[in-house]
Amino acid sequence: TNQPTNQPENLDIMASKQEIRHQHLNRFGQARAGLEDEIDKVNEENSDRAEHSELLKYKAKYLQIDADGSGDLDAFELLAFLNGVGIKPKSGGSVWTEPKVKKEVIEKYGVGGAKTLRYAGFLRMVLGDEMGRVLRLKLKFESLAAEAAKPKVSEPKKLW
């Protein structure tokens, strides 16, 4: 009894939604989509450590900090971010320098002697120790300030 079915004979040849999405993008778009998939996986793995909405904010901030779109935060990108939010280095001083970023951030939160920080390391930094608590507060206030800066729209007044 060979009855036709609505399902293909070989499910292995069907592409996943991600593969289909990636096929329609240019090279940069494919890299970006792959990076976002990687970040989403890391967020899923850390869903017990932070609220979903917070993880989405950290993802957005990471993508914003990653100025060159490489998927890696290098010392200069981290330096600009940390100085921008006003976090002070543990080793002293009022500003971050490249050597301080490499020693206190990349070596601590990076994986296997990497010279850059992937999203998993960034998330460890944000969800981690005292610096992480300060970063979470700064990022929370940053989002509150952005919300407060939005223009208020009111209903037009009725003239009669």
Side-chain angles (χ1 to χ4, degrees):
T1 62
N2 281 343
Q3 295 181 354
T5 64
N6 291 338
Q7 296 195 2
E9 292 178 45
N10 186 356
L11 293 176
D12 293 331
I13 62 172
M14 289 187 63
S16 71
K17 284 200 299 190
Q18 290 173 342
E19 290 170 337
I20 292 169
R21 182 180 73 177
H22 291 204
Q23 289 172 0
H24 297 321
L25 300 172
N26 63 25
R27 193 171 295 210
F28 175 79
Q30 288 175 350
R32 178 63 176 237
L35 173 61
E36 290 199 33
D37 291 342
E38 175 188 328
I39 290 171
D40 291 340
K41 183 179 177 195
V42 171
N43 278 347
E44 202 173 289
E45 292 167 356
N46 288 278
S47 61
D48 60 332
R49 298 184 66 203
E51 295 291 324
H52 180 70
S53 61
E54 293 298 311
L55 292 171
L56 291 177
K57 287 178 190 174
Y58 302 147
K59 173 184 176 179
K61 181 52 75 176
Y62 180 84
L63 293 172
Q64 179 186 356
I65 298 167
D66 184 20
D68 61 4
S70 66
D72 293 303
L73 299 183
D74 63 30
F76 294 106
E77 291 167 326
L78 286 164
L79 185 139
F81 166 65
L82 293 169
N83 284 330
V85 296
I87 302 286
K88 305 289 186 233
K90 283 186 178 180
S91 61
S94 59
V95 296
W96 287 90
T97 61
E98 182 186 4
K100 287 180 184 178
V101 169
K102 287 179 178 178
K103 182 169 180 61
E104 295 181 36
V105 178
I106 295 175
E107 285 181 15
K108 182 174 182 178
Y109 301 106
V111 177
K115 296 185 184 338
T116 59
L117 200 62
R118 295 294 287 181
Y119 180 72
F122 176 77
L123 197 59
R124 276 192 301 280
M125 177 178 72
V126 172
L127 297 177
D129 57 18
E130 184 176 329
M131 186 165 103
R133 284 191 292 280
V134 173
L135 275 172
R136 288 191 302 276
L137 283 171
K138 296 255 184 191
L139 294 175
K140 184 173 191 149
F141 285 118
E142 186 179 272
S143 65
L144 290 172
E147 190 67 32
K150 288 183 181 177
K152 306 277 188 236
V153 179
S154 61
E155 292 291 321
K157 294 181 180 181
K158 292 184 181 179
L159 298 175
W160 55 89

